[in-house]
Amino acid sequence: PVLVGVGSAVLGMSAGSVSSSLAVLGMACVPVGAWVRTRVVLEADAAGLEGRSDLRLPIGTRGQVHETPDANGGVFSIAVGMNVYDIQADEFEIERLEGTCALCALPGTLRCSRCRAAFYCGREHQSADWRLGHRHGCKPAAPSRQPPPSEASELAWLAAAKLWLCALRESSSEGLEAALAEFARALDATPLAFRAAHAQLLARRHLFLGASLLDLGKASSALASLRLAVELAPADAAAVVEYSLALEQQGDLEGARAVAREAVARGVQWRNEWQVHLLLL
């Protein structure tokens, strides 16, 4: 990094608005590497760089502490990209990131038990921040929102889909089986009201699960899902065919014929001529 400029309180920004936390602690606790946001415009004033508009940075610029006052002549320096700007203690504020101390920005695992939003590196800074004003803004954390059953089952289905795609990319048979188990759990968790309102969607999902199990040679496990697919969407020829094939693989030829004949009686239209062979076995 190259020192190019200093903080300049222009655009009407008051340089006297020092936060109570930093005033009391004297900024000594702000470490090198802490992320900060500027309260002033940063301008270049190094020899030969004065007035460079491309080095003029607005209020709210994000930077990282490069040097502390004891190593930089009594002022902080912050790095923004490859450039470094000198800046007074009251011209920036620490950027509060989850998992970092609310006072010093060091990693902190101690969490306010009331609001659950403030983190601290230790009891000392937690007590100090409470005295400095956290107690006035600390509100009990809202209870975590539990998604309704229909939303929970949809989230579970999406999570299973991610596992499935990862397993496909890695050509992992174990991963595919694990994903199919998650698909099955998501379908089992689907509330009855959702099933009634989205029968066609659930039929396609049961068809996908059953056909995938069938491809993995798990015909016995596939039967339940494929039967549900047919029950939910009686006119779906693909579901009928897959269910019939699963029965055939299990050696139940009569059952396969019966499923196909019942489908024809319901008016199911075969999409491909080869599917008719189920009626001719």
Side-chain angles (χ1 to χ4, degrees), residues 197-258:
H198 303 278
Q200 191 65 38
L201 171 63
L202 291 176
R204 301 305 295 183
R205 289 182 175 179
H206 278 291
L207 173 58
F208 164 78
L209 177 59
S212 299
L213 289 168
L214 202 58
D215 288 342
L216 291 178
K218 300 180 179 295
S220 58
S221 300
L223 283 174
S225 274
L226 293 173
R227 181 176 64 252
L228 279 171
V230 173
E231 291 175 358
L232 289 166
D236 190 331
V240 172
V241 170
E242 292 292 340
Y243 185 32
S244 300
L245 289 174
L247 289 169
E248 183 183 345
Q249 288 187 23
Q250 288 292 98
D252 187 0
L253 299 182
E254 285 304 316
R257 291 191 189 101

Side-chain angles (χ1 to χ4, degrees), residues 2-14:
V2 178
L3 178 62
V4 298
V6 296
S8 175
V10 297
L11 301 184
M13 192 66 178
S14 170

Side-chain angles (χ1 to χ4, degrees), residues 121-212:
C121 61
R123 293 288 181 189
E124 183 180 353
H125 278 188
Q126 183 180 23
S127 298
D129 193 40
W130 183 260
R131 294 193 303 272
L132 294 168
H134 179 64
R135 59 184 172 181
H136 300 303
C138 183
K139 305 295 182 186
S144 58
R145 174 183 174 272
Q146 295 296 323
S150 59
E151 183 178 336
S153 64
E154 287 298 284
L155 292 174
W157 182 268
L158 291 175
K162 290 181 179 179
L163 291 177
W164 177 259
L165 292 174
C166 288
L168 285 177
R169 283 196 297 266
E170 297 170 1
S171 300
S172 169
S173 57
E174 291 183 357
L176 291 174
E177 291 185 18
L180 290 175
E182 292 302 316
F183 280 127
R185 275 191 277 273
L187 287 171
D188 289 341
T190 304
L192 292 175
F194 187 86
R195 295 180 190 183
H198 303 278
Q200 191 65 38
L201 171 63
L202 291 176
R204 301 305 295 183
R205 289 182 175 179
H206 278 291
L207 173 58
F208 164 78
L209 177 59
S212 299

Side-chain angles (χ1 to χ4, degrees), residues 5-135:
V6 296
S8 175
V10 297
L11 301 184
M13 192 66 178
S14 170
S17 56
V18 184
S19 69
S20 57
S21 299
L22 299 182
V24 171
L25 294 176
M27 294 295 290
C29 60
V30 180
V32 171
W35 287 100
V36 299
R37 294 275 181 182
T38 62
R39 293 176 168 176
V40 297
V41 171
L42 299 177
E43 294 188 316
D45 71 341
L49 300 177
E50 301 92 337
R52 286 263 304 265
S53 60
D54 58 320
L55 295 176
R56 190 174 190 268
L57 302 177
I59 294 171
T61 294
R62 187 170 187 257
Q64 206 167 10
V65 173
H66 180 61
E67 290 178 300
T68 54
D70 57 344
N72 191 45
V75 296
F76 284 92
S77 68
I78 63 171
V80 181
M82 294 301 294
N83 297 323
V84 172
Y85 295 81
D86 283 344
I87 190 168
Q88 298 291 335
D90 57 359
E91 295 180 332
F92 68 86
E93 58 188 22
I94 298 173
E95 185 175 55
R96 308 301 179 187
L97 301 175
E98 185 170 336
T100 61
C101 180
L103 282 188
C104 68
L106 288 173
T109 56
L110 183 63
R111 196 171 195 173
C112 177
S113 60
R114 190 165 185 243
C115 69
R116 307 295 296 168
F119 290 81
Y120 301 96
C121 61
R123 293 288 181 189
E124 183 180 353
H125 278 188
Q126 183 180 23
S127 298
D129 193 40
W130 183 260
R131 294 193 303 272
L132 294 168
H134 179 64
R135 59 184 172 181

